[in-house]
Amino acid sequence: EPSPLLLDFVVTDVSCAGGNDGMVTLLPSGGTPPYTFMETFDSLTAGNYSFSVADTNVCTTQASVTVEEPEALIIEVDLITNEVDQNTNGAIDITVLGGTAQYSFSWLLDDLVISEEEDPSGLSAGNYTLLLTDTNGCTTSIEVTVDRIVATTNLLNEQSVKVYPNPVNELLFIDIMTD
């Protein structure tokens, strides 16, 4: 009498959220070969799958498997520090969620890579694009604007301002007096 028909399997999970590159390879053993089955199922999305295999004596066995996928790759902008007085002192602080860790970062300004840091600093004002890639090759991008702030001195500490008349009819006068 033959040994019991068994069905083992190898699962390759989907590499990117929403993808369809999952795969299941069936590995029957025991029973009486040859077996009736498809060996490999590919182009699978995340989900639950059931498979059955029959041997030459029409003995069957079944297996259920789950093909999984990583969470969607998401970029959250935590803080934008604007450039002050053209001093190239802007910065962007982000958090990456989902995907599969080890991430690579490419920050572009005018289509040129200016940083491969997660949180770039020493930035001038401009519109930056982050191209983010995880270890599986999944990608996403985001655009972030660093603005320029000019004349950040607090004038009230150094000068006094007088605005009159109050209420205003047709003309408003502003006097700035240095202490």
Side-chain angles (χ1 to χ4, degrees):
E1 181 169 311
S3 60
L5 179 60
L6 302 174
L7 181 57
D8 202 3
F9 48 86
V10 176
V11 176
T12 303
D13 290 328
V14 174
S15 59
C16 300
N20 65 343
D21 61 346
M23 185 168 56
V24 174
T25 301
L26 302 179
L27 306 167
S29 61
T32 307
Y35 308 107
T36 303
F37 72 107
M38 282 183 58
E39 184 176 339
T40 301
F41 296 83
D42 58 10
S43 301
L44 300 177
T45 59
N48 298 315
Y49 296 89
S50 295
F51 302 98
S52 63
V53 171
D55 68 5
T56 201
N57 294 331
V58 194
C59 295
T60 62
T61 189
Q62 295 182 339
S64 293
V65 301
T66 300
V67 176
E68 297 183 354
E69 68 181 356
E71 295 291 321
L73 190 56
I74 297 172
I75 304 167
E76 289 184 351
V77 177
D78 298 321
L79 179 66
I80 300 170
T81 303
N82 293 315
E83 178 188 32
V84 178
D85 292 330
Q86 297 183 341
N87 287 327
T88 318
N89 53 1
I92 303 170
D93 183 19
I94 64 159
T95 299
V96 177
L97 303 170
T100 305
Q102 299 299 323
Y103 306 106
S104 65
F105 306 88
S106 292
W107 286 97
L108 293 90
L109 178 64
D110 299 326
D111 295 324
L112 297 173
V113 176
I114 56 95
S115 177
E116 293 182 342
E117 304 276 328
E118 178 175 350
D119 300 317
S121 59
L123 303 177
S124 60
N127 297 316
Y128 293 85
T129 301
L130 169 59
L131 303 176
L132 176 65
T133 306
D134 75 2
T135 197
N136 289 344
C138 308
T139 61
T140 191
S141 64
I142 190 171
E143 291 191 14
V144 180
T145 299
V146 174
D147 289 323
R148 176 174 291 130
I149 299 174
V150 180
T152 59
T153 303
N154 186 345
L155 296 177
L156 294 179
N157 289 341
E158 298 175 11
Q159 302 173 350
S160 58
V161 178
K162 181 178 178 184
V163 179
Y164 61 93
N166 186 4
V168 174
N169 290 328
E170 290 185 18
L171 292 175
L172 172 69
F173 297 95
I174 301 174
D175 288 342
I176 299 175
M177 298 164 278
T178 304
D179 289 340

